[in-house]
Amino acid sequence: MCNINLRAMLVKTFSAAVFGIEAVPVTIEVEVTRGVRYMLVGLPDAAVKESQQRIESAFRAVGLHWPGRQVIINMAPADIRKEGSSYDLPLAVGILAAAETVNGNRLDGLLLTGELSLDGAVKPVRGVLPMALQARASGFRGIMVPAENAQEAAVVEGLDVFGVTSLGEVLDYLRGEKQLTPLTVDLHTLFSREGNIYDIDFADVRGQETVKRALEVAVAGSHNAIMVGPPGSGKTMLARRLPGILPPMTLEEALETTRIHSVAGKTDSHLALMTRRPFRSPHHTSSDIAMVGGGSVPQPGEISLANNGVLFLDELPEFRRSVLEVLRQPLEDRIITIARARLSCDFPASFMLIASMNPCPCGFHNHPEKECTCAPGMVQRYLSRISGPLLDRIDIHIEVVPVNYANLAATTPAESSSEVRERVVRAREIQTVRFAGIDGIHCNAQMTSAMIRRHCHLDETGGRLLRAAMEMRGLSGRAYDRILKVSRTIADLDESETICPDHISEAINYRSLDREGWAG
């Protein structure tokens, strides 16, 4: 789509601007006329304006010179901000074609992106996957990208992807001295080879069978969970193994996850697609913006980087209150909207929240062997750092106790992640059938109150058991719906159409923090 006949000395090349996880086509119009000025218009930011120095040096590196005439460049549409260094390559090629140094006809139908270094090398940029998707949607036949981004772009079917390493290589292609071979990726082979490979396994965890079962239930219904236990009891070790028991990602989930990480510049150049579910564990000193995303041009935060995976918040009460409160809306809507004066971006935020905490400041409240040294009331104050509305969105509360020597020294093989995953996948398939045709509802944790009444019927025995538990153990009213949701998931794991008293009993035991007197 390079048109040198549109007007004398006027050339158009094409690139793309990324907003959120979407890309917008950008037309770069270059005119070389009589004069000596250089003008770049169309709302470029400082990084785009600085491209002149990088391009001029790259020209010298390949034995060319900056045109000794007036260069006027317009980046259209002119009402959206152009940011970053990804426009270097299309700007450079446009200038050379407008100056008639090279013939731009071979760029017909190509979208270009890439940063130029001073020696003419083409360096990787962010957001290549959204650009490739937009190129296909806009009817381009191909996209020319830095070689390190080529694997990422090649997952888009129906689009020729050319990876280049230097401006000299691009010039050889334009002069007809070199042919570029499109890169292809076999997605089916990639999924089957790497989709379910994780470096860590549930079999590494000794003991903690009760906690493992609770986490299996949490994953089967996509329930948020919090683990409460003393230091060294294995909370973090267990949480890090959760992605291995989640169902394998679908192609749509993998593309969405890769797009988010591409925009954030966190993709692996050696992998075409993220086939493993993400696990994000931000430090408790993280800011609000680091958690939800933001910036003058919004970038994804931790909750979006954890999309389709796990967000693990270790030592939950140590996070600032404001950071925890921003999680409330994404936990419900599974999307985060970042609004700025010029634009508004939506980022997906469908994640499982897994949190851990000590039971008190010293860490030994309710410990079977060690005595808690906290003063009266400190345990309750420590727990109150987590607001009721946030705790209300956590379905499962698990007490984690230290593992004794007999379990640590046991040589009996523990159950592997793959065995647990098989049960989880079967439970998720039941839920997929149950919620077929309902937008935004895919698992039990997402059920509304009306759906709970429809799908969580209790027999007389189960109803009496739940009433007795709420009265005798002092369970809060908000625990009622949570218990029904979790019991529905437990029944799905047992492949039972009805919720039995055993399922209700197990779900009740997963509401530790709702018990009266738990915090002293």
Side-chain angles (χ1 to χ4, degrees), residues 481-501:
D481 283 355
R482 307 300 183 202
I483 290 174
L484 290 178
K485 287 182 181 181
V486 173
S487 63
R488 179 67 267 172
T489 299
I490 297 171
D492 290 342
L493 283 168
D494 287 347
E495 301 183 30
S496 171
E497 293 184 6
T498 59
I499 298 176
C500 302

Side-chain angles (χ1 to χ4, degrees), residues 293-296 298 336-346:
S296 56
I336 182 71
T337 301
I338 308 296
R340 294 293 181 265
R342 288 183 175 271
L343 75 159
S344 177
C345 297
D346 292 333

Side-chain angles (χ1 to χ4, degrees), residues 7 116 124 151 157 193 329 391 395 409 446 467 492 509:
R7 181 182 172 186
L116 290 177
Q151 288 273 351
E157 297 178 342
R193 185 179 70 244
Q329 179 260 335
L391 202 59
D395 297 347
Q446 300 170 337
R467 178 191 296 178
D492 290 342
N509 288 329

Side-chain angles (χ1 to χ4, degrees), residues 355-391:
S356 73
M357 60 176 285
N358 293 331
C360 64
C362 79
F364 299 111
H365 180 68
N366 287 341
H367 194 282
E369 298 174 358
K370 298 184 180 180
E371 185 177 352
C372 177
T373 60
C374 297
M378 286 187 65
V379 178
Q380 185 61 51
R381 286 196 297 272
Y382 187 69
L383 181 60
S384 67
R385 295 183 186 180
I386 309 170
S387 71
L390 177 60
L391 202 59

